Amino acid sequence: MRLQGKTAIVTGAGSGFGAGIARIFAREGAAVMVADINEGAATAIAREIGGIAQTVDVANGTSVAAMAGAARDAWGRIDILVNNAGITHLPKPMEEVTEEEFDRVFAVNAKSVYLTAREIVPGMKAAGRGAILNIASTAGLSPRPRLNWYNASKGWMITATKTMAVELAPHGVRVNALCPVAGETPLLASFMGEDTPEMRARFLSTIPLGRFSTPDDMGEAAAFLCSDAASMITGAALEVDGGRCI
């Protein structure tokens, strides 16, 4: 029960890594808000884990403010924030990514971190404690061709994590990032271009441990970094990638 008595918002928690994080947070004793743009998915996971469902568009300031307000109304405080919601563009030459695709990737993967910080950081600073976890990617550390602007958005998130950590440390707020390799999530086909046995085998050959990241892998790492056991860890970008970045 590493998170007993803690309250946590997990964005993009209706599926994939976010759902895995939400499940393990609940198992570890946290009260969890399952926030997702897909209302049905959020409701299903929240019902499964005994959490709160919240529909949110993390790229929209009004929607993020409503999410933070709902959490404060329910709990009176927010102890943990996991910025997990993210999207990608399809693999293609960098100059062929449309302006609309570029704007959407940076709105969801980067602007969302600013919007949630704007709404939630003041309360954490006032309380003198809190943990923020940004779900980045190995793409931000070891970028691959044809995913240029997605790579850049995750590199931005890693830099944002480190600067947030430095600024918020005097206030007792820790900020870390997780960098997973691709996993069994709704984004897998988008990362690979197509989901075929041949493409999976080619991708898996680049991971020394020989498998994808799983939602449970992410949940276990997230629970540690957001727990008091990690009280001396801030500004880290932890690779959960089976050795992919070596």
Side-chain angles (χ1 to χ4, degrees):
M1 303 297 280
R2 290 173 287 179
L3 302 177
Q4 184 69 43
K6 305 284 189 182
T7 65
I9 296 175
V10 183
T11 69
S15 63
F17 290 154
I21 292 169
R23 288 186 179 107
I24 288 180
F25 275 24
R27 186 198 74 192
E28 294 297 320
V32 181
M33 173 174 280
V34 178
D36 202 284
I37 198 167
N38 183 326
E39 181 179 4
T43 299
I45 297 297
R47 185 179 297 118
E48 174 191 333
I49 67 172
I52 300 170
Q54 178 70 27
T55 306
V56 66
D57 177 356
V58 296
N60 179 280
T62 301
S63 184
V64 170
M67 175 189 73
R72 285 190 293 267
D73 289 345
W75 303 319
R77 71 186 195 283
I78 300 164
D79 298 317
I80 298 168
L81 165 66
V82 180
N83 287 307
N84 168 76
I87 61 169
T88 185
H89 56 81
L90 292 175
K92 65 179 76 174
M94 65 177 75
E95 71 275 16
E96 294 181 13
V97 175
T98 67
E99 186 173 356
E100 181 182 9
E101 288 173 318
F102 177 93
D103 286 345
R104 185 62 178 161
V105 165
F106 273 84
V108 174
N109 295 359
K111 183 181 178 183
S112 62
V113 178
Y114 154 72
L115 292 175
T116 56
R118 186 176 69 175
E119 298 300 329
I120 294 169
V121 161
M124 289 183 170
K125 289 170 73 172
R129 64 180 184 276
I132 298 172
L133 184 63
N134 298 321
I135 307 305
S137 171
T138 55
L141 297 168
S142 179
R144 295 166 49 218
R146 297 169 58 84
L147 284 172
N148 194 84
W149 309 116
Y150 171 77
N151 298 337
S153 74
K154 292 302 187 178
W156 180 97
M157 182 178 273
I158 292 167
T159 300
T161 296
K162 293 180 180 294
T163 192
M164 290 169 73
V166 170
E167 182 170 334
L168 295 178
H171 302 280
V173 179
R174 297 184 301 106
V175 188
N176 291 295
L178 290 180
C179 298
V181 74
E184 295 282 0
T185 76
L187 290 182
L188 180 59
S190 297
F191 288 133
M192 296 192 301
E194 57 178 343
D195 190 355
T196 65
E198 294 76 19
M199 288 297 293
R200 285 190 174 223
R202 185 182 306 170
F203 198 98
L204 286 170
S205 71
T206 70
I207 303 172
L209 283 183
R211 65 175 179 83
F212 293 115
S213 295
T214 69
D216 278 356
D217 292 329
M218 293 296 290
E220 296 288 0
F224 167 66
L225 285 178
C226 292
S227 74
D228 293 340
S231 62
M232 192 56 177
I233 301 175
T234 195
L238 178 64
E239 298 158 26
V240 186
D241 68 347
R244 170 72 171 81
C245 285
I246 298 170

